Every structure is written in C-alpha cells, then in structure tokens.
Amino acid sequence: MIEYNLNILDVIDRGVPNKERIPIEVVDATNLSRYWIGIGIRTELRRILPINDNLLWLGQGEVLPGDWIFVYTGQGSPQQNNMPNSVNKIFTIHWNRRSVLFQSEELQPFLVNGIVSFYESPDNDTNQSY
C-alpha cells in the first residue's frame, strides 16, 4: 500500500455549483508539487478507475501536519487562511471548471504522488523536476 502524506476525504456538497469541494487532511509535512488529484469511477471492488483528461496539479508550496486543503471544483483564486485558535492553515485551491465534477456517487477523487520532469525545449539539455 502506498503511504501518502495527504489524506483525501469524500466530496462535500457533491453536485452543488460553487460549493462542491474535496477536503484533504495534511498528515505529514509535504511539498505539494508532487501531488495531483484525478477523477475516477469507483468499481464494485472499491477500486477507482481513472477517467482520461481529468487531473489537477496541487501547485507548489509546503503544508504542515494539521493543515487542510480544500479543492473547489468551480472557479476562483487560491487562498491561504489561518485556522481559528490554531497555528495551522487552510489552503483553498480551485479546479476552475465551469460545472460540477462529482454529480454521481460513482465519481470519486483520487491522489497521485509523483515527480514530473519538465523540459524547456528539445534544443536545450536542461530539465527541471518538481
């Protein structure tokens, strides 16, 4: 089993425009640049089959244990706020879709943890990994 520093929870306000969101609990200190969220279909065996062309990069930045990330499927700008009576933070990210993504219970978010290499151009030998 793959260990993740982030714990994705079920969709909140599923199918409700401008409210539909995915809460993610930060378990360990994490650089978000390694994480992506995808959309898949839950099978009878409780597995998730990915749907092509539905992936969101969480961006760059460090999060700490006890922080929360809320990924809204609608449009908006990223925000960072302090949690009341805590040193932890709430990070808000927007998928910037024009419609909801999780209308059906069978559609589920999943996390991808991996390094992606970006190449500047075919003529340049330098590359950068995140």
Side-chain angles (χ1 to χ4, degrees):
M1 182 172 167
I2 298 173
E3 293 290 324
Y4 285 98
N5 295 341
L6 305 176
N7 183 26
I8 193 168
L9 303 177
D10 201 8
V11 178
I12 296 175
D13 290 323
R14 182 182 291 271
V16 180
N18 300 318
K19 289 187 178 183
E20 183 179 71
R21 63 199 176 279
I22 306 160
I24 303 171
E25 175 187 23
V26 179
V27 178
D28 289 313
T30 303
N31 185 321
L32 291 180
S33 66
R34 297 178 61 114
Y35 285 88
W36 304 70
I37 291 183
I39 301 173
I41 298 174
R42 183 179 21 202
T43 67
E44 293 176 9
L45 300 174
R46 298 195 44 83
R47 292 197 168 108
I48 296 177
L49 298 175
I51 298 173
N52 286 341
D53 198 25
N54 285 285
L55 204 58
L56 173 72
W57 181 48
L58 292 183
Q60 295 186 36
E62 295 287 330
V63 290
L64 300 174
D67 288 347
W68 282 86
I69 303 163
F70 288 91
V71 178
Y72 283 82
T73 58
Q75 297 183 355
S77 300
Q79 296 180 5
Q80 175 182 321
N81 296 298
N82 294 324
M83 291 178 69
N85 304 317
S86 174
V87 297
N88 293 103
K89 298 190 180 308
I90 297 173
F91 298 89
T92 303
I93 300 169
H94 294 267
W95 205 312
N96 287 317
R97 294 294 184 105
R98 294 185 189 269
S99 62
V100 294
L101 296 175
F102 299 98
Q103 307 88 332
S104 167
E105 289 286 329
E106 287 80 28
L107 295 172
Q108 293 292 314
F110 64 89
L111 282 172
V112 176
N113 178 358
I115 296 174
V116 176
S117 293
F118 295 100
Y119 293 90
E120 291 182 26
S121 75
D123 298 332
N124 191 342
D125 288 338
T126 9
N127 66 53
Q128 196 171 13
S129 294
Y130 293 94

Coordinates of all heavy atoms in Angstrom, one line a residue, residues 32-73:
L32 N 3.7 20.2 -1.9 CA 2.5 19.9 -2.8 C 2.9 19.7 -4.2 O 2.1 19.1 -5.0 CB 1.5 21.1 -2.7 CG 0.8 21.3 -1.4 CD1 -0.2 22.4 -1.5 CD2 0.0 20.0 -1.0
S33 N 4.1 20.1 -4.6 CA 4.4 20.0 -6.1 C 4.5 18.5 -6.6 O 4.4 18.3 -7.7 CB 5.8 20.6 -6.3 OG 6.8 20.0 -5.7
R34 N 4.4 17.6 -5.7 CA 4.5 16.1 -6.0 C 3.1 15.6 -6.2 O 2.9 14.4 -6.5 CB 5.2 15.3 -5.0 CG 6.7 15.7 -4.9 CD 7.3 14.9 -3.8 NE 7.2 13.5 -4.1 CZ 8.3 12.7 -4.4 NH1 9.5 13.2 -4.3 NH2 8.1 11.4 -4.7
Y35 N 2.0 16.3 -5.9 CA 0.7 15.8 -5.8 C -0.3 16.3 -6.9 O -0.3 17.5 -7.2 CB 0.1 16.0 -4.4 CG 0.7 15.1 -3.4 CD1 1.8 15.5 -2.7 CD2 0.1 13.9 -3.1 CE1 2.3 14.6 -1.7 CE2 0.6 13.1 -2.1 CZ 1.8 13.4 -1.5 OH 2.3 12.6 -0.5
W36 N -1.1 15.4 -7.3 CA -2.2 15.7 -8.3 C -3.5 15.1 -7.8 O -3.4 14.1 -7.1 CB -1.8 15.1 -9.6 CG -0.5 15.5 -10.2 CD1 0.7 15.1 -9.7 CD2 -0.3 16.3 -11.3 NE1 1.7 15.7 -10.5 CE2 1.1 16.4 -11.5 CE3 -1.1 16.9 -12.2 CZ2 1.7 17.2 -12.5 CZ3 -0.5 17.7 -13.2 CH2 0.9 17.8 -13.4
I37 N -4.6 15.6 -8.2 CA -5.9 15.0 -8.0 C -6.5 14.6 -9.3 O -6.5 15.4 -10.3 CB -6.9 15.9 -7.3 CG1 -6.4 16.2 -5.8 CG2 -8.3 15.4 -7.2 CD1 -7.3 17.1 -5.1
G38 N -7.0 13.4 -9.3 CA -7.7 12.9 -10.5 C -9.1 12.5 -10.2 O -9.6 12.5 -9.1
I39 N -9.9 12.2 -11.3 CA -11.3 11.8 -11.1 C -11.3 10.4 -11.7 O -10.8 10.1 -12.8 CB -12.2 12.7 -11.9 CG1 -12.1 14.1 -11.4 CG2 -13.7 12.2 -11.8 CD1 -12.9 15.1 -12.2
G40 N -12.0 9.5 -11.0 CA -12.2 8.1 -11.4 C -13.6 7.6 -11.1 O -14.4 8.3 -10.5
I41 N -13.8 6.4 -11.6 CA -15.1 5.7 -11.4 C -14.8 4.6 -10.4 O -14.0 3.8 -10.6 CB -15.7 5.2 -12.7 CG1 -16.0 6.3 -13.6 CG2 -17.0 4.4 -12.4 CD1 -16.4 5.9 -15.0
R42 N -15.6 4.6 -9.3 CA -15.5 3.5 -8.3 C -16.1 2.3 -8.8 O -17.2 2.3 -9.3 CB -16.2 4.0 -7.0 CG -16.0 2.9 -5.9 CD -16.6 3.3 -4.6 NE -17.6 4.3 -4.7 CZ -18.0 5.1 -3.7 NH1 -17.5 5.0 -2.6 NH2 -19.0 5.9 -3.9
T43 N -15.4 1.1 -8.7 CA -15.9 -0.1 -9.2 C -16.5 -0.9 -8.0 O -16.5 -0.5 -6.9 CB -14.7 -1.0 -9.7 OG1 -13.8 -1.4 -8.7 CG2 -13.9 -0.3 -10.8
E44 N -17.1 -2.0 -8.3 CA -17.7 -2.9 -7.3 C -16.7 -3.4 -6.3 O -17.1 -3.6 -5.1 CB -18.4 -4.0 -7.9 CG -19.6 -3.7 -8.8 CD -20.3 -4.8 -9.5 OE1 -19.9 -6.0 -9.2 OE2 -21.2 -4.6 -10.3
L45 N -15.5 -3.5 -6.7 CA -14.4 -4.0 -5.8 C -13.8 -2.8 -5.0 O -12.7 -3.0 -4.4 CB -13.3 -4.7 -6.6 CG -13.8 -5.9 -7.4 CD1 -12.7 -6.5 -8.2 CD2 -14.3 -7.0 -6.4
R46 N -14.4 -1.6 -5.0 CA -13.9 -0.5 -4.2 C -12.6 0.1 -4.8 O -11.9 0.7 -4.1 CB -13.9 -0.7 -2.7 CG -15.2 -1.1 -2.2 CD -15.3 -1.0 -0.7 NE -14.7 0.1 0.0 CZ -15.3 1.4 0.1 NH1 -16.5 1.6 -0.3 NH2 -14.6 2.3 0.7
R47 N -12.3 -0.2 -6.0 CA -11.2 0.4 -6.7 C -11.7 1.5 -7.5 O -12.9 1.7 -7.8 CB -10.5 -0.7 -7.6 CG -9.9 -1.8 -6.8 CD -8.9 -2.5 -7.7 NE -8.1 -3.4 -6.9 CZ -8.2 -4.7 -6.9 NH1 -9.1 -5.3 -7.6 NH2 -7.4 -5.4 -6.1
I48 N -10.7 2.4 -7.9 CA -11.1 3.6 -8.7 C -10.4 3.5 -10.1 O -9.1 3.4 -10.1 CB -10.7 4.9 -8.0 CG1 -11.6 5.0 -6.7 CG2 -11.0 6.1 -8.9 CD1 -11.3 6.2 -5.9
L49 N -11.1 3.5 -11.1 CA -10.6 3.5 -12.5 C -10.5 5.0 -13.0 O -11.5 5.7 -13.0 CB -11.4 2.7 -13.4 CG -11.6 1.2 -13.1 CD1 -12.6 0.6 -14.1 CD2 -10.3 0.5 -13.2
P50 N -9.3 5.5 -13.3 CA -9.1 6.9 -13.7 C -9.9 7.2 -15.0 O -10.0 6.3 -15.9 CB -7.6 7.0 -14.0 CG -7.0 5.8 -13.4 CD -8.0 4.7 -13.3
I51 N -10.4 8.4 -15.1 CA -11.0 8.9 -16.3 C -10.0 9.8 -17.0 O -9.4 10.7 -16.4 CB -12.3 9.7 -16.0 CG1 -13.3 8.8 -15.3 CG2 -12.8 10.4 -17.2 CD1 -14.5 9.6 -14.8
N52 N -9.8 9.6 -18.3 CA -8.8 10.4 -19.0 C -9.1 11.8 -19.0 O -10.2 12.2 -18.9 CB -8.7 9.9 -20.5 CG -8.0 8.6 -20.6 OD1 -7.3 8.1 -19.8 ND2 -8.3 7.9 -21.7
D53 N -8.0 12.7 -19.0 CA -8.1 14.1 -19.1 C -8.8 14.8 -18.0 O -9.5 15.8 -18.1 CB -8.8 14.4 -20.5 CG -8.6 15.9 -20.9 OD1 -7.5 16.4 -20.5 OD2 -9.4 16.4 -21.6
N54 N -8.6 14.3 -16.8 CA -9.2 14.9 -15.6 C -8.2 14.8 -14.4 O -8.3 14.1 -13.5 CB -10.4 14.1 -15.1 CG -11.6 14.5 -16.0 OD1 -12.2 15.5 -15.9 ND2 -11.9 13.6 -17.0
L55 N -7.2 15.7 -14.5 CA -6.1 15.8 -13.5 C -5.8 17.2 -13.1 O -5.8 18.1 -14.0 CB -4.9 15.1 -14.1 CG -3.8 14.5 -13.1 CD1 -4.4 13.4 -12.2 CD2 -2.7 13.9 -13.9
L56 N -5.6 17.5 -11.8 CA -5.3 18.8 -11.3 C -4.1 18.8 -10.5 O -4.0 18.0 -9.5 CB -6.5 19.4 -10.5 CG -6.2 20.7 -9.8 CD1 -6.2 21.8 -10.8 CD2 -7.2 20.9 -8.7
W57 N -3.1 19.6 -10.8 CA -1.8 19.7 -10.1 C -2.1 20.6 -8.9 O -2.7 21.6 -9.0 CB -0.7 20.2 -10.9 CG 0.6 20.4 -10.3 CD1 1.3 19.5 -9.5 CD2 1.4 21.5 -10.3 NE1 2.5 20.0 -9.1 CE2 2.6 21.2 -9.6 CE3 1.4 22.8 -10.9 CZ2 3.7 22.1 -9.4 CZ3 2.4 23.7 -10.8 CH2 3.5 23.3 -10.0
L58 N -1.7 20.2 -7.7 CA -2.0 21.0 -6.5 C -1.1 22.2 -6.4 O -1.3 23.1 -5.5 CB -1.8 20.1 -5.2 CG -2.9 19.1 -5.1 CD1 -2.7 18.3 -3.7 CD2 -4.3 19.6 -5.2
G59 N -0.1 22.3 -7.2 CA 0.8 23.5 -7.2 C 2.0 23.4 -6.3 O 2.3 22.3 -5.9
Q60 N 2.7 24.5 -6.1 CA 3.9 24.5 -5.3 C 3.6 25.0 -3.9 O 2.7 25.9 -3.8 CB 5.0 25.3 -5.9 CG 5.4 24.7 -7.2 CD 6.6 25.4 -7.8 OE1 7.5 25.9 -7.1 NE2 6.7 25.5 -9.1
G61 N 4.3 24.6 -2.9 CA 4.2 25.1 -1.6 C 4.3 24.0 -0.5 O 4.1 22.8 -0.8
E62 N 4.6 24.4 0.7 CA 4.8 23.5 1.8 C 3.5 23.5 2.7 O 3.0 24.6 2.9 CB 6.0 23.8 2.6 CG 7.3 23.7 1.9 CD 7.8 22.3 1.7 OE1 7.4 21.4 2.5 OE2 8.4 22.0 0.7
V63 N 3.1 22.4 3.1 CA 2.0 22.3 4.0 C 2.5 21.4 5.2 O 3.4 20.6 5.1 CB 0.7 21.7 3.4 CG1 0.1 22.6 2.4 CG2 1.0 20.3 2.8
L64 N 1.9 21.7 6.4 CA 2.3 21.0 7.6 C 1.2 20.2 8.2 O 0.1 20.4 7.9 CB 2.7 22.1 8.6 CG 3.9 23.0 8.2 CD1 4.1 24.2 9.2 CD2 5.2 22.2 8.0
P65 N 1.6 19.2 9.1 CA 0.6 18.3 9.7 C -0.4 19.2 10.4 O -0.1 20.2 11.1 CB 1.4 17.5 10.7 CG 2.8 17.6 10.2 CD 3.0 18.9 9.5
G66 N -1.7 18.9 10.2 CA -2.8 19.6 10.8 C -3.4 20.7 9.9 O -4.5 21.2 10.1
D67 N -2.7 21.0 8.8 CA -3.2 21.9 7.8 C -4.3 21.2 7.0 O -4.4 19.9 7.0 CB -2.1 22.4 6.8 CG -1.2 23.4 7.4 OD1 -1.4 23.9 8.5 OD2 -0.1 23.6 6.8
W68 N -5.1 21.9 6.3 CA -6.2 21.4 5.5 C -6.1 22.1 4.1 O -5.8 23.2 4.0 CB -7.6 21.6 6.1 CG -7.9 20.6 7.2 CD1 -7.5 20.8 8.5 CD2 -8.5 19.4 7.1 NE1 -8.0 19.7 9.2 CE2 -8.6 18.8 8.3 CE3 -9.1 18.7 6.0 CZ2 -9.1 17.6 8.6 CZ3 -9.6 17.4 6.2 CH2 -9.7 16.9 7.5
I69 N -6.4 21.3 3.1 CA -6.5 21.8 1.7 C -8.0 21.5 1.2 O -8.5 20.4 1.4 CB -5.5 21.1 0.8 CG1 -4.1 21.2 1.3 CG2 -5.7 21.6 -0.7 CD1 -3.1 20.2 0.7
F70 N -8.6 22.6 0.7 CA -9.9 22.4 0.1 C -9.8 22.7 -1.4 O -9.5 23.8 -1.7 CB -11.0 23.3 0.8 CG -11.3 22.9 2.2 CD1 -10.6 23.3 3.3 CD2 -12.3 21.9 2.4 CE1 -10.9 22.9 4.6 CE2 -12.6 21.5 3.7 CZ -11.9 22.0 4.8
V71 N -10.1 21.7 -2.2 CA -10.1 21.9 -3.6 C -11.5 22.0 -4.1 O -12.3 21.1 -4.1 CB -9.5 20.7 -4.3 CG1 -9.5 20.8 -5.9 CG2 -8.0 20.4 -3.8
Y72 N -11.9 23.3 -4.5 CA -13.2 23.6 -5.0 C -13.2 23.2 -6.5 O -12.2 23.6 -7.2 CB -13.6 25.0 -4.8 CG -14.0 25.3 -3.4 CD1 -13.1 25.5 -2.4 CD2 -15.3 25.4 -3.1 CE1 -13.4 25.8 -1.1 CE2 -15.8 25.7 -1.8 CZ -14.8 25.8 -0.8 OH -15.2 26.1 0.5
T73 N -14.2 22.6 -7.0 CA -14.2 22.2 -8.4 C -14.6 23.4 -9.3 O -14.3 23.4 -10.5 CB -15.2 21.1 -8.7 OG1 -16.5 21.5 -8.3 CG2 -14.8 19.8 -8.0

